[in-house]
Amino acid sequence: MKIAVDAMGGDFAPQAIVEGVIMAASSLPADTQLVLVGRQDIIKELFQKHGFESSAVEIVHADDVIEMSEHPTKALSQKPNSSIGVGFKLLKEKAVDIFCSAGNTGAMHVGALFSIRAIEGIIRPAIAGFVPQVNGKHAIMLDIGANADCKPDVLSQFGEIGSLFARHTLHIDHPRVALMNIGEEEQKGSVIAQAAYQLLKENKRIQFVGNIEGKDLFTDKADVIVTDGFTGNILFKLGESLYGILKERGIEDEFIARTNYESIGGSPIIGVNGNVMIAHGISSPLAIKNMISWARQQVEANAYIHIAQALA
Amino acid sequence: MKIAVDAMGGDFAPQAIVEGVIMAASSLPADTQLVLVGRQDIIKELFQKHGFESSAVEIVHADDVIEMSEHPTKALSQKPNSSIGVGFKLLKEKAVDIFCSAGNTGAMHVGALFSIRAIEGIIRPAIAGFVPQVNGKHAIMLDIGANADCKPDVLSQFGEIGSLFARHTLHIDHPRVALMNIGEEEQKGSVIAQAAYQLLKENKRIQFVGNIEGKDLFTDKADVIVTDGFTGNILFKLGESLYGILKERGIEDEFIARTNYESIGGSPIIGVNGNVMIAHGISSPLAIKNMISWARQQVEANAYIHIAQALA
């Protein structure tokens, strides 16, 4: 298994990324190879600084870097030799099994659509966030930011692809799919949420358990939480903020620790022809290390193949 | 000052409501009179049970009750002698200064629109939630559920009426108004959020500080948080859920305690010609007691008069 990591993407790149890869390398199973994509000279210098040498990590050189603030589509076409551009080239050629980056989220999303492309039949791929549950499990919530505006059919499909992802990657046999809404009754919510409810209810390929509310985000009412990328992004970022707020107040707790973005480290793009993981811009070495461990699970499951089969 | 409280509204009414009023009565300033609206026989029986007698509390009889699950508009026209119907009649006649209820939220919203009506110039009144901030302050967020779908001009007006409410009720001279969004940059967000940003930016009557994100909900980035009733409701309910989740995990903290719905007890409707407060359906006696203390502040400020003047 080959896991490609963008060495240049993220607020603290390349240092934090390279350090995270070094941390991960020591505990990798023998079948796993890490591929750092980025400026070879800089990466080698960082390896040297840390006295790191391992046959488990290779470097694929990329001249350019897409900055966090750049326009995704423009940047990708102007910088084909950026680390994101090269990473997706490797993924498309199946030279690697997954591409992960803490860089420009928009460029990662557009890069996936331009290179490995959306699975046929997918209206809109989504970014899925792992949401820790108080009982120790994780739910996945989609979309958490790729599509700020979602039509009802898009939301219904999120239920389907989220369900397939949860089944194969989180090993939940019959994932409970719920719609994030402002009341439990089916006539509650925005015009779009009401219409999405009907489509989800009629969708025979999922186990739809109805609406959940904001208070249910962490309480294991669902395995797959369907929402638009606007609501999902705001909820996800609020959830992630709890760790820092409570840490500053001297509170340590196992559940709250799991709301820390570092404990997962990344969010997959679901609905494209391959494995892609997006990490937080502020990613620390620990976040990158944990992302690599989730990336392994994602490659072992290859949920995208099951999604493509289900939609064929 | 006369504060009317619906004795019959809420999951634990009338017991919890009457107990809350009894709790509040003992610490009321001399100028404040409580008016319990509901079935006189039942309320008197509860007073007797608690050995309560006070000239600070009077009863206004109402024959009927609107149940939590009833259709708001239908219920209000079929039950003019319900506690909600009678409460709004008192408010409209200015026999009381504020009407508070933990009953059917929809019926409270529709009741306000039918009786005291929206202030002229108000496109859509909103329910405003008090959001505790880590530094001890409160922000107000609107809308938290009255309007699931909001057009940009409605959101811009929320900024204005929220700002006036914060100035007069929370005594913040120049309230910072922010738009809840999925990124800080002005081109971020849903189509509606992007358009709302422009209107808020151009609105000379408010101090617009730009977008905030989910992670900023509790961190005092704004005094007034503008959002649609769909996003706002989900965020608000997630916020309120933290207290219960952490209490169960044995965590006690002053900030988390303030996320408990009981610590405020109610949410005002802003944009109507009078003072209205909606309490949580599950309201406990403590919640009702605290709601009454916020109701006093609301009456002292009479922000609705300032809003009407500003829009005239």
Side-chain angles (χ1 to χ4, degrees):
Chain A
M1 176 190 311
K2 281 198 173 188
I3 297 174
V5 178
D6 173 8
M8 315 307 285
D11 299 342
F12 307 115
Q15 292 80 359
I17 314 299
V18 172
E19 281 177 39
V21 164
I22 293 174
M23 279 169 79
S26 63
S27 57
L28 280 183
D31 70 339
T32 307
Q33 184 83 8
L34 298 180
V35 180
L36 264 169
V37 185
R39 292 270 303 273
Q40 192 159 29
D41 50 342
I42 297 176
I43 298 169
K44 278 195 168 159
E45 205 176 290
L46 285 165
F47 278 179
Q48 223 158 19
K49 188 185 139 193
H50 291 279
F52 177 75
E53 244 196 87
S54 166
S55 57
V57 183
E58 61 185 287
I59 301 169
V60 170
H61 178 71
D63 264 333
D64 244 339
V65 176
I66 294 178
E67 302 298 335
M68 298 302 265
S69 55
E70 283 189 81
H71 186 277
T73 320
K74 254 192 247 174
L76 273 168
S77 61
Q78 285 166 359
K79 295 178 173 174
N81 290 321
S82 60
S83 52
I84 291 181
V86 172
F88 276 116
K89 199 163 153 273
L90 294 172
L91 187 64
K92 192 184 172 186
E93 291 165 350
K94 296 199 187 293
V96 299
D97 298 291
I98 186 168
F99 178 46
C100 314
S101 173
N104 186 314
T105 303
M108 282 299 289
H109 190 68
V110 173
L113 292 178
F114 281 11
S115 61
I116 53 171
R117 298 185 184 274
I119 291 168
E120 217 181 306
I122 291 288
I123 318 170
R124 296 274 199 103
I127 302 175
F130 295 100
V131 182
Q133 304 294 299
V134 282
N135 63 356
K137 295 176 21 177
H138 282 96
I140 67 158
M141 177 160 71
L142 69 172
D143 179 24
I144 61 159
N147 312 283
D149 294 289
C150 292
K151 297 211 169 121
D153 57 344
V154 172
L155 291 171
S156 177
Q157 194 175 67
F158 285 172
E160 227 173 301
I161 62 179
S163 184
L164 286 161
F165 187 89
R167 189 149 88 208
H168 294 286
T169 312
L170 302 178
H171 309 293
I172 300 164
D173 278 345
H174 299 284
R176 295 158 300 163
V177 177
L179 179 66
M180 182 55 73
N181 206 333
I182 63 174
E184 286 181 5
E185 305 86 347
E186 68 178 87
Q187 68 279 13
K188 283 285 172 89
S190 61
V191 171
I192 284 176
Q194 288 178 46
Y197 186 103
Q198 294 307 322
L199 295 178
L200 286 160
K201 197 172 95 172
E202 288 158 16
N203 194 329
K204 297 266 186 294
R205 287 176 288 198
I206 58 169
Q207 186 197 351
F208 181 54
V209 296
N211 291 329
I212 59 170
E213 299 181 83
K215 66 181 167 61
D216 306 319
L217 183 69
F218 297 128
T219 60
D220 195 33
K221 288 267 185 88
D223 302 300
V224 178
I225 301 169
V226 172
T227 190
D228 61 87
F230 187 80
T231 313
N233 182 278
I234 292 172
L235 274 180
F236 196 72
K237 285 181 181 163
L238 173 56
E240 281 184 345
S241 75
L242 298 177
Y243 173 73
I245 288 174
L246 293 176
K247 193 182 169 192
E248 206 153 282
R249 304 184 66 80
I251 293 169
E252 291 200 16
D253 174 71
E254 189 268 334
F255 163 66
I256 293 297
R258 288 167 57 236
T259 66
N260 181 4
Y261 84 96
E262 283 180 317
S263 82
I264 302 278
S267 302
I269 301 182
I270 304 186
V272 292
N273 279 304
N275 294 311
V276 181
M277 204 153 200
I278 297 177
H280 216 295
I282 60 167
S283 283
S284 66
L286 177 62
I288 296 298
K289 175 181 178 269
N290 287 336
M291 175 189 72
I292 289 169
S293 125
W294 280 82
R296 274 188 48 80
Q297 272 184 254
Q298 207 174 315
V299 173
E300 275 164 6
N302 271 343
Y304 77 93
I305 296 176
H306 299 281
I307 293 172
Q309 282 167 350
L311 289 175
Chain B
M1 175 189 310
K2 282 199 172 188
I3 297 174
V5 178
D6 173 8
M8 314 307 285
D11 299 343
F12 307 114
Q15 292 80 1
I17 315 297
V18 173
E19 283 177 38
V21 164
I22 294 174
M23 279 168 78
S26 63
S27 57
L28 280 183
D31 70 338
T32 307
Q33 184 82 9
L34 297 180
V35 180
L36 262 168
V37 185
R39 291 271 303 274
Q40 193 159 26
D41 50 342
I42 297 177
I43 298 170
K44 279 195 168 159
E45 205 176 294
L46 285 164
F47 279 178
Q48 222 156 19
K49 190 184 137 193
H50 291 280
F52 177 75
E53 245 195 88
S54 166
S55 58
V57 183
E58 61 185 287
I59 301 171
V60 171
H61 178 71
D63 265 333
D64 245 339
V65 176
I66 294 178
E67 303 297 335
M68 299 303 265
S69 55
E70 283 190 81
H71 186 278
T73 321
K74 255 191 246 173
L76 272 168
S77 60
Q78 286 167 358
K79 296 179 175 174
N81 291 321
S82 60
S83 53
I84 291 181
V86 172
F88 276 117
K89 199 164 153 275
L90 295 172
L91 187 65
K92 193 184 172 186
E93 292 165 351
K94 297 198 188 292
V96 299
D97 298 293
I98 185 166
F99 178 47
C100 315
S101 173
N104 187 314
T105 304
M108 283 299 289
H109 190 68
V110 173
L113 292 178
F114 281 11
S115 62
I116 53 172
R117 297 186 186 274
I119 291 167
E120 216 183 307
I122 290 288
I123 318 171
R124 298 272 198 103
I127 302 175
F130 294 101
V131 182
Q133 304 293 299
V134 283
N135 62 357
K137 295 177 15 179
H138 282 96
I140 66 158
M141 177 159 72
L142 68 173
D143 181 24
I144 62 158
N147 313 283
D149 294 288
C150 292
K151 297 210 169 122
D153 55 347
V154 172
L155 291 171
S156 176
Q157 194 174 64
F158 286 171
E160 228 172 300
I161 62 179
S163 183
L164 285 162
F165 187 89
R167 188 149 87 208
H168 294 285
T169 312
L170 302 178
H171 309 293
I172 301 164
D173 279 344
H174 299 285
R176 296 159 299 162
V177 177
L179 179 66
M180 183 53 73
N181 206 333
I182 62 173
E184 287 180 4
E185 306 86 347
E186 67 177 88
Q187 68 279 13
K188 282 287 171 86
S190 61
V191 170
I192 285 176
Q194 288 177 48
Y197 186 103
Q198 294 307 320
L199 295 178
L200 286 161
K201 196 172 97 172
E202 287 158 17
N203 194 329
K204 298 264 185 294
R205 289 175 287 197
I206 57 169
Q207 186 196 352
F208 181 55
V209 296
N211 291 329
I212 60 170
E213 300 180 83
K215 66 181 166 60
D216 306 319
L217 184 69
F218 298 128
T219 60
D220 194 34
K221 288 267 185 86
D223 302 300
V224 178
I225 301 170
V226 172
T227 189
D228 61 86
F230 186 81
T231 313
N233 182 278
I234 293 172
L235 274 179
F236 196 71
K237 285 181 181 163
L238 173 55
E240 280 184 344
S241 75
L242 298 177
Y243 173 73
I245 288 174
L246 292 176
K247 192 182 169 193
E248 207 154 284
R249 303 185 66 79
I251 294 169
E252 292 200 15
D253 174 71
E254 189 268 333
F255 163 66
I256 293 298
R258 288 168 58 237
T259 66
N260 181 5
Y261 84 96
E262 283 181 318
S263 82
I264 302 279
S267 302
I269 301 183
I270 304 186
V272 291
N273 278 305
N275 294 311
V276 182
M277 204 152 199
I278 298 177
H280 216 294
I282 59 166
S283 284
S284 67
L286 177 62
I288 296 298
K289 175 183 179 268
N290 288 336
M291 176 190 71
I292 289 169
S293 125
W294 280 82
R296 274 188 48 81
Q297 270 184 257
Q298 207 174 317
V299 173
E300 275 164 7
N302 270 343
Y304 78 92
I305 297 176
H306 299 281
I307 293 172
Q309 283 168 349
L311 289 175

